[in-house]
Amino acid sequence: MKTMMSRRHFLTVSAAGAGAMLVAPRIAFANVATDRRFVFVIQRGAADGLNIVVPYAEPAYATLRGPLAIDASTALKLDGTFALHPSLAQTARLYEAKQALFVHAVATPYRDRSHFDGQNVLETGGSAPYQTHDGWLNRLVALLPASRAQAIAFAPTVPMALRGKVEVASYAPSALPAAPDDLLLRVGQLYEHDAQLGPLWASAMAARGMAGEAGARQDPASVGKLAAGFLAHDDGPRIAMIETGGWDTHSAQNARLSNQLKALDTMLKALAEGLGPVWDKTTVLVATEFGRTAAANGTGGTDHGTGSVAMLMGGAVAGGRVLGDWPGLRTGDLYDGRDLKPTTSLDAVIAGAAGATFGLDPHRTAAALFAGVAGTKPLDGLVSA
C-alpha cells in the first residue's frame, strides 16, 4: 500500500541529508550578550590520569606501573614532578603558552567503580547516582539570562549533563548522502511561508552552514572543526559538550591510551585553530568519571580506580600550572590500598572554572551546580577575568 510522506517527515529526512541532524526540537540562533565560551569534553570510560599527567618524579610510579610506566625521557616535562603523555604535543604547547593547566588527584563524590553510576554523578553534580535528575551544565545555562544563553551537545542525543529545564540542542553528522543544493533551495521555497515548518527549516540550514565541511565527518579533527564552526559565530552557542569514549583500558593500555590521547589532542588543536580569536575567550574542561588503579593489572592495562586528572585549556585559562595536593603513590598513600587518592573535588574545579568564565559569583555557581553536595567550595584562580 502506498502512503504519502508527511511534510514534517520529509523535512526531517531532507535536513539530515543536508548534514544536520537536529535531535532537539530546534536550534535557535539568537544574539547573546556574553562573548565567553565554555566547552565540556567528557572522557567516558575512566581515563588513566596517572599516564596522562605523569608523576615521573614519584619513586613508586615506575614500580607500580612496570611496563605501563611512561618513560620520563619521552614525556613532555611540565615541571620537576609532572610530565604530559608524549601523545599530547599540542596540549603541551598550550601549557607553554600558559593556556592549559591540570588539576591532579581529582574526583567527584562517587567512590564505587561503575561506569554508569560514575558518569551519572559526574554529569548531574549529585553526591550519589540518580539522586539528581538534571545536569549541572543545564543548570549553568539557567544561571545566564534566558535570552542570552545557548547550549549544544555534539552527540546524537542530549547527554545527561545538558538535560534539564532549559531547552538545549544536539548536533551530529548524518550518515545519509548530502542533498543537492538545488533540492535544498526548492524545499526552502516550499516552506518559506509555513509558520511552523519555515523556521525549523531555516534553523536546519543555519546549522548546516555553521557545520561547514566538517559536518559530514567524525574524525577528531573534523569534530573539533565542527564545534568551532558553531562556537565561533556571533549568533552561535556559548556552551557546548563533546562526548569522547574508549577510555576503559583494561588491556593493551599503552597503544590504546596513546591513540586516545592523540585523537583528543588533534580535536583540541582543530577546535583552537577553528575558533581563531574567539579561543582567547574560551574555557575547555576535560574530565572523566573516575581514574584507574595505580598498579598495572595482569593483562597490560589498569582497572577501575578513583582519583584522576582534570584538564583546563583555552585562551581564558590562567594556565602554565599543575594544581592539586599530591597524595603520593606509596602503599599507605593509596585509596583502598589500590587507587590514586582524591585530594581535590572535581565539583570544585567545575564550579570555579564555569563561574569565572561567565563572571558569575563562584559560591552561587557552586550552590546551583552542586546543591546536593554539601560544602562545595569553588577552586578560584583557574580562569582569567
Side-chain angles (χ1 to χ4, degrees), residues 28 36 46 64 80 83 136 173 213 258 281 308 310 360 373 379:
R36 291 294 188 105
L64 285 167
W136 66 262
E213 294 180 359
S258 179
K281 305 168 185 176
S308 190
L360 302 171
V373 184
L379 206 59

Side-chain angles (χ1 to χ4, degrees), residues 323-338:
L323 305 179
D325 180 10
W326 181 247
L329 294 176
R330 295 172 300 179
T331 302
D333 298 327
L334 299 176
Y335 179 78
D336 279 352
R338 50 170 276 167

Side-chain angles (χ1 to χ4, degrees), residues 17 27 30-31 38 43 107 131 149 161 172 175 196 220 263 277 289 293-294 300 320 329 342 375:
I27 300 179
N31 289 328
F38 185 88
Q43 298 169 295
Q131 173 192 64
Q196 186 175 17
E289 67 261 32
T293 49
L329 294 176

Side-chain angles (χ1 to χ4, degrees), residues 104 178 182 195 257 286 308 367:
H104 224 315
D182 183 63
L257 185 62
V286 182
S308 190

Side-chain angles (χ1 to χ4, degrees), residues 70-255:
I70 303 298
D71 186 344
S73 67
T74 66
L76 306 165
K77 299 285 178 63
L78 300 174
D79 57 25
T81 304
F82 297 102
L84 274 182
H85 190 284
S87 292
L88 292 172
Q90 170 64 18
T91 304
R93 284 191 280 272
L94 292 175
Y95 181 88
E96 290 172 3
K98 300 192 184 305
Q99 294 184 354
L101 68 79
F102 312 100
V103 189
H104 224 315
V106 300
T108 70
Y110 182 70
R111 291 294 178 271
D112 293 316
R113 298 177 176 90
S114 160
H115 289 305
F116 296 110
D117 291 353
Q119 288 172 28
N120 182 268
V121 172
L122 169 59
E123 294 188 76
T124 61
S127 60
Y130 311 105
Q131 173 192 64
T132 305
H133 302 294
D134 59 355
W136 66 262
L137 203 50
N138 191 281
R139 296 195 292 276
L140 175 62
V141 179
L143 291 179
L144 301 176
S147 62
R148 298 180 178 179
Q150 288 179 286
I152 186 168
F154 295 97
T157 59
V158 177
M160 187 66 232
L162 266 173
R163 295 181 193 174
K165 295 179 181 178
V166 180
E167 182 180 304
V168 301
S170 63
Y171 181 99
S174 171
L176 297 174
D181 286 345
D182 183 63
L183 173 61
L184 300 179
L185 177 63
R186 290 174 183 273
V187 173
Q189 292 171 340
L190 180 64
Y191 296 115
E192 184 177 1
H193 301 294
D194 188 299
Q196 186 175 17
L197 298 180
L200 179 61
W201 181 257
S203 292
M205 292 302 96
R208 179 176 183 257
M210 288 189 182
E213 294 180 359
R217 300 186 299 276
Q218 298 188 45
D219 59 280
S222 294
V223 172
K225 184 179 177 182
L226 172 69
F230 280 87
L231 291 163
H233 275 254
D234 289 340
D235 57 353
R238 293 299 187 257
I239 294 174
M241 179 173 174
I242 301 174
E243 293 189 299
T244 67
W247 299 95
D248 195 16
T249 51
H250 287 284
S251 61
Q253 175 169 303
N254 278 349

